Amino acid sequence: MSEALNIDSIVREGVRKAQISADTTPALLVEDAEGWLEQDIPRRPWVATGLLLRGAVTVVVGAPASGKSSLMVGWATALALGKPYGRMDVQPVKVMTYNTEDDRDEQRRRFSGALRFFGARPADLAGCVMRLGTDTIGTLLAYDRETKELRATPAMDQMLKMIETMQPDVLMLDPLVELHEAEENDNTAVRTVMAYFRSLAIQHNLALVLLHHTRKGSAATAGDPDIARGASAVIGAARIVLTVTVMSEDEANTFGIKADQRRYFSRVDGAKINAAPIGREEWFERQSYELANGDHVAVMLPWAPPEDTISQDTMAAIQVGVERGSPAGPWSPRFSADARSIKRLLVEHGIVTADGQRKVMDGLMAAGFITATFRRSNRGTGKGLRSTDGLPDSVTWLEDDEA
């Protein structure tokens, strides 16, 4: 055989093997170079718009005692009953929850409280909500740090069988840190964990919710995904991220909430929503319900701030205006036609209702402003609003014994 024929034979064999390889290698890329019609694009499979999406992971981040677990009980109950709960308003769906921190009885207490709010009974959740827990270690995913391999534990295998049987629309897992053995600050390891849960959501066409803690010592900033504990891969792999934070002191002052009561109010903010606009914050109030057995349980109830509220920026601007004083001297706390009446400053900032103006005054008092006596230029005295720093300083403020 000549050398040329030998080369031709090798080339043909190489082409043949390449064609076989091309025919048997699974396609990793999906191409799309065609035109399309907008109306033919399938709608996103929302279970609850902006909150829960089939085939995706929602991460809910909150500090201890922020109310995130109680919020999930409210969500699960509302989803199963098909009743409105804050901005969530859906048709009835099936929900599976897994809580490693509460035993069966505690979960029943929590759901009993939520059911009282909805005017429903435990029997109404039968077949619609499956509540899972554990009397031992609740790990679902084991991680080998040497081989970097992730495997399902017997608990996860059991849950998968239950998912196959029940076919829930929503799966809630609480909390993330107890679900796996990976080092929580290792992005590579945590990315593997998140990929597993995302694959689970896709495979079973469900919306998966992971409850996650905040970093220790971090300021609970509403709507900030960076407050999440551990590796950033948790936030990166999630399609939707929500934060649950307790009402701040400034917010309590703005809303006229007493300082010792603000811990009962929490806000839910969108920190990352890839498939929908991030809407405004949503507020909830923790209220106590007494159960038939005599126990009391806290329930997160939707709450709306008072109508005559103002933003923190506006409140800050008003405080600056009070510290500067009016052209005629310190602002008077009286709502009158006087040139020094605080009402003039409030109207300038858009606070026109009597109720709203009273709330601003309450907020100023809560921020440390007081009504004090000052000496006028004609040696007379008057009453005006003074800050904790003694502003405005354009007049002489008198002590109580001088007034």
Side-chain angles (χ1 to χ4, degrees):
M1 180 180 295
S2 68
E3 184 176 348
L5 290 176
N6 187 40
I7 293 175
D8 288 343
S9 177
I10 293 173
V11 171
R12 285 195 298 272
E13 180 64 16
V15 171
R16 187 184 69 82
K17 289 181 178 180
Q19 290 174 338
I20 294 175
S21 177
D23 292 338
T24 58
T25 300
L28 300 178
L29 303 180
V30 178
E31 63 179 77
D32 180 11
E34 299 178 356
W36 68 90
L37 297 175
E38 288 185 7
Q39 61 268 29
D40 292 339
I41 303 174
R43 293 177 62 89
R44 294 189 180 102
W46 289 107
V47 176
T49 303
L51 301 173
L52 305 172
L53 183 67
R54 293 184 188 275
V57 175
T58 295
V59 173
V60 180
V61 183
S66 63
K68 59 183 181 298
S69 293
S70 295
L71 178 66
M72 290 304 100
V73 172
W75 274 14
T77 307
L79 288 165
L81 298 176
K83 292 190 175 183
Y85 183 66
R87 70 178 55 165
M88 180 179 287
D89 190 1
V90 301
Q91 296 298 313
V93 296
K94 291 185 290 185
V95 182
M96 178 181 289
T97 69
Y98 179 58
N99 189 312
T100 67
E101 298 176 336
D102 295 335
D103 60 20
R104 186 194 67 172
D105 291 339
E106 186 58 31
Q107 291 193 53
R108 285 184 172 183
R109 292 185 191 99
R110 285 176 175 262
F111 275 93
S112 292
L115 285 165
R116 282 178 174 264
F117 166 70
F118 288 106
R121 303 170 302 165
D124 295 328
L125 297 184
C128 301
V129 176
M130 179 179 288
R131 300 168 303 281
L132 305 180
T134 179
D135 294 328
T136 59
I137 298 176
T139 306
L140 298 179
L141 299 174
Y143 184 77
D144 190 319
R145 299 191 182 187
E146 292 185 2
T147 64
K148 312 296 184 183
E149 292 182 352
L150 191 74
R151 62 176 178 81
T153 65
M156 185 74 247
D157 290 335
Q158 184 179 357
M159 181 182 292
L160 290 173
K161 293 179 181 178
M162 294 177 175
I163 291 174
E164 289 283 358
T165 301
M166 183 187 186
Q167 297 184 2
D169 301 283
V170 180
L171 173 63
M172 300 180 178
L173 307 177
D174 180 17
L176 174 60
V177 69
E178 299 291 340
L179 304 179
H180 63 87
E181 295 178 345
E183 165 54 48
E184 66 175 346
N185 293 306
D186 184 337
N187 263 310
T188 301
V190 172
R191 190 178 295 112
T192 304
V193 172
M194 294 299 293
Y196 181 94
F197 287 129
R198 185 175 178 182
S199 297
L200 179 64
I202 294 172
Q203 181 180 354
H204 295 279
N205 193 34
L206 55 80
L208 194 147
V209 183
L210 294 173
L211 271 64
H212 192 37
H213 295 310
T214 55
R215 290 184 286 109
K216 294 181 179 179
S218 66
T221 305
D224 181 6
D226 291 335
I227 66 175
R229 170 175 169 172
S232 60
V234 173
I235 303 303
R239 191 74 176 270
I240 303 160
V241 179
L242 307 172
T243 62
V244 183
T245 54
V246 174
M247 180 182 287
S248 68
E249 292 183 10
D250 288 341
E251 289 167 337
N253 291 336
T254 299
F255 298 148
I257 303 295
K258 295 181 179 179
D260 62 346
Q261 298 293 311
R262 70 179 180 87
R263 68 180 184 275
Y264 299 121
F265 298 85
S266 295
R267 58 183 287 173
V268 178
D269 291 80
K272 172 187 175 183
I273 304 179
N274 288 344
I278 295 179
R280 291 194 59 183
E281 77 277 6
E282 188 175 10
W283 284 97
F284 291 85
E285 178 184 9
R286 278 184 289 283
Q287 290 190 10
S288 179
Y289 280 80
E290 182 176 1
L291 306 182
N293 67 352
D295 282 338
H296 288 80
V297 63
V299 180
M300 291 281 278
L301 306 183
W303 178 79
E307 290 184 4
D308 294 308
T309 60
I310 59 173
S311 68
Q312 294 183 29
D313 289 342
T314 301
M315 191 65 187
I318 291 173
Q319 291 181 7
V320 171
V322 174
E323 291 174 347
R324 290 175 179 170
S326 76
W331 290 106
S332 167
R334 298 180 59 189
F335 297 130
S336 65
D338 186 82
R340 289 195 306 111
S341 173
I342 188 65
K343 182 176 181 179
R344 292 177 177 269
L345 177 64
L346 302 187
V347 170
E348 288 178 7
H349 288 278
I351 313 301
V352 297
T353 67
D355 187 52
Q357 291 168 0
R358 284 192 295 269
K359 285 183 171 61
V360 171
M361 287 299 298
D362 290 340
L364 290 172
M365 297 299 107
F369 288 84
I370 62 171
T371 300
T373 303
F374 66 94
R375 191 174 302 282
R376 299 178 184 271
S377 57
N378 61 3
R379 309 304 296 171
T381 60
K383 296 286 186 180
L385 293 173
R386 186 183 74 184
S387 74
T388 55
D389 295 328
L391 300 176
D393 57 6
S394 57
V395 297
T396 300
W397 294 100
L398 304 180
E399 300 298 331
D400 292 341
D401 56 345
E402 296 180 289

